[in-house]
Amino acid sequence: MLYFPYAFVVRVAARFKNVVRMTNINLTGKTILITGVAGFIGSSLAIKLLKSIFPINIIGVDNLNDYYDISLKEYRLNQIQLSANGPFYTIYIKASS
């Protein structure tokens, strides 16, 4: 087990206390870049942001590889588009073979 001196722990905690307390970030009018937007987490985040914040611009980036079913990813992108109150841009990245 690793032990730290009390003085060290107090200094570290004091340095990061403002980070821990930051709970609300105003994203109104901001542009947000979401990588992996066609995946489960990325699409859920995009839909949540689009439904809760207006105006907001979201740029979604995904490579739409076939690791998961492509039709599922296309469905998620369609759901994001339906949730959009404003612009939603999607960038597809395709690797050259």
Side-chain angles (χ1 to χ4, degrees):
M1 183 170 271
L2 185 61
Y3 294 98
F4 292 101
Y6 178 76
F8 173 78
V9 172
V10 170
R11 281 196 311 263
V12 170
R15 182 171 290 178
F16 291 105
K17 71 179 180 180
N18 292 333
V19 175
V20 173
R21 290 186 184 171
M22 186 191 325
T23 56
N24 295 324
I25 300 172
N26 185 7
L27 297 176
T28 304
K30 305 288 187 201
T31 300
I32 309 297
L33 174 69
I34 300 176
T35 59
V37 74
F40 177 74
I41 296 172
S43 63
S44 299
L45 175 63
I47 290 170
K48 179 79 171 175
L49 289 173
L50 287 167
K51 286 185 175 182
S52 62
I53 301 170
F54 185 79
I56 190 168
N57 296 313
I58 294 183
I59 301 172
V61 178
D62 206 294
N63 66 354
L64 292 180
N65 61 14
D66 59 356
Y67 189 77
Y68 293 108
D69 187 13
I70 298 290
S71 62
L72 178 60
K73 292 182 176 191
E74 290 170 346
Y75 171 78
R76 289 180 180 147
L77 291 173
N78 187 36
Q79 292 300 108
I80 295 169
Q81 200 66 269
L82 293 173
S83 300
N85 293 331
F88 171 72
Y89 307 101
T90 306
I91 300 170
Y92 302 107
I93 298 174
K94 185 175 182 179
S96 59
S97 42

